[in-house]
Amino acid sequence: MSEVWISAAGLCGATVIGSLLGFFIKELPHKWNDSILGYCAGIMLAASTIGLILPAFELNESWWLVAVGVMAGAFFLNLLDFVTPHLHHITGLGEAEHHNNAKLNNVLLFVMAIAIHKLPEGMAAGVSMSDIDASSWTVSMGIALQNVPEGMVIIAPLIMAGVKPFRTFLISLAIGLLEVVGVWLGFALGTVSAALLPVMLGFAGGAMLYVTSDEMIPETHAHGYQKQATYALLLGFMTLLLIEKFLE
C-alpha cells in the first residue's frame, strides 16, 4: 500500500512543482512563450500516443473500442466549446468579463482537457501498481515527468488571461488531486478488472490530441514564431520518447 501512496504523491507533486514554475514564465515574450508551449505540445502528443492510446490497444484486443474512445474524447472536448463560457465561477471573474474574454475561454478548454486526462492517467498508474515489480514504476515515473511541463501550462495561460494567482494555483492543485483519486481507483479496479481502462485511456488520449491540435499548436503559430515552436514541439516529443525508451 505504501507504494501506491508514493505513486499518488509523486504524480500530484509533479503537477504542483510544474505549477509553481509556471508563475515564473508569465512575463516571457511571445518568442519564448510559444517555444515553451510548443515543447509542452510535443510532450502531450507523445503522452497521448505512447502513454495512453498505444497502451489501450495493448490492453484490449477489440481495437474498435479504443478507437471509439479516442473519437469520443475529441468529440467531448469539442462540446466543451459550448460549456467554457459558463465557467466564470471557477475563474472568480465576473460573468460579463468572462464571457467577453475569448482568450480565457480557450485557456479553460485547454485546462479542462488536462483535467479530463488526469483521472485515467492516475488509473493507469494505479492499475500498474496492483502487481508490484520493477516495471510497475515505469508508468508512474513517465507520467510524473510529463506532469511538470503540464503544470506549467496550466498556470501561465490562466494568469495571462486575468485569473488571480492564488485561484490559479488552487485550480492546478485540484487537477493534481484528481490524479491521486485516479491512482487509488485504478489500484482498486486493477485487483478486480481492467476491462474499462482501455476505453478510458483512449478517451483521455483523444481529448489530449484534440486540444493539442485545436488550441496549443495554433496558439504557438499565431505570433510569427512558428519555426521555433515547431522545433520545440519536436524536442518535446523526442524527450518523452527517450524517457520511455530509458525507462523500459
Side-chain angles (χ1 to χ4, degrees):
M1 290 297 233
S2 61
E3 291 88 352
V4 184
W5 277 115
I6 293 172
S7 175
L11 267 57
C12 182
T15 299
V16 172
I17 290 172
S19 300
L20 293 175
L21 292 174
F23 283 108
F24 297 98
I25 69 172
K26 60 181 182 297
E27 298 295 338
L28 283 179
H30 276 306
K31 179 177 181 179
W32 288 102
N33 190 69
D34 288 349
S35 296
I36 291 174
L37 193 59
Y39 181 81
C40 292
I43 291 277
M44 291 184 69
L45 283 175
S48 62
T49 51
I50 68 174
L52 293 170
I53 297 175
L54 290 181
F57 280 119
E58 294 172 358
L59 290 172
N60 196 329
E61 295 181 357
S62 301
W63 60 268
W64 62 272
L65 284 175
V66 180
V68 168
V70 171
M71 298 308 297
F75 182 68
F76 182 73
L77 260 293
N78 187 245
L79 290 179
L80 284 182
D81 278 323
F82 300 100
V83 177
T84 48
H86 306 288
L87 296 178
H88 59 280
H89 295 297
I90 296 177
T91 64
L93 300 177
E95 184 172 1
E97 181 182 2
H98 189 290
H99 183 73
N100 294 324
N101 192 338
K103 181 177 181 180
L104 180 58
N105 294 334
N106 291 335
V107 168
L108 281 179
L109 178 63
F110 167 60
V111 172
M112 287 292 289
I114 292 180
I116 287 169
H117 85 264
K118 287 295 182 183
L119 187 64
E121 254 190 15
M123 290 181 65
V127 169
S128 71
M129 300 303 292
S130 62
D131 183 21
I132 302 296
D133 56 32
S135 62
S136 299
W137 293 101
T138 302
V139 176
S140 294
M141 290 177 64
I143 294 175
L145 289 169
Q146 164 196 325
N147 283 352
V148 175
E150 279 187 357
M152 294 171 62
V153 168
I154 294 170
I155 287 287
L158 284 172
I159 291 179
M160 289 188 293
V163 183
K164 293 183 178 179
F166 181 69
R167 185 177 287 268
T168 302
F169 180 75
L170 290 180
I171 293 172
S172 175
L173 181 60
I175 292 174
L177 290 175
L178 279 176
E179 213 154 34
V180 176
V181 175
V183 169
W184 281 102
L185 183 59
F187 179 74
L189 291 175
T191 59
V192 180
S193 173
L196 295 177
L197 185 59
V199 179
M200 294 189 66
L201 290 174
F203 184 93
M208 289 178 68
L209 288 175
Y210 177 90
V211 77
T212 303
S213 175
D214 190 63
E215 298 294 338
M216 295 183 73
I217 294 177
E219 176 65 22
T220 65
H221 287 209
H223 309 108
Y225 304 109
Q226 55 268 23
K227 295 298 183 183
Q228 295 93 320
T230 297
Y231 283 111
L233 183 148
L234 293 173
L235 181 61
F237 190 87
M238 290 305 302
T239 296
L240 204 61
L241 285 181
L242 291 174
I243 288 173
E244 177 74 11
K245 178 66 176 178
F246 289 129
L247 289 179
E248 288 181 351

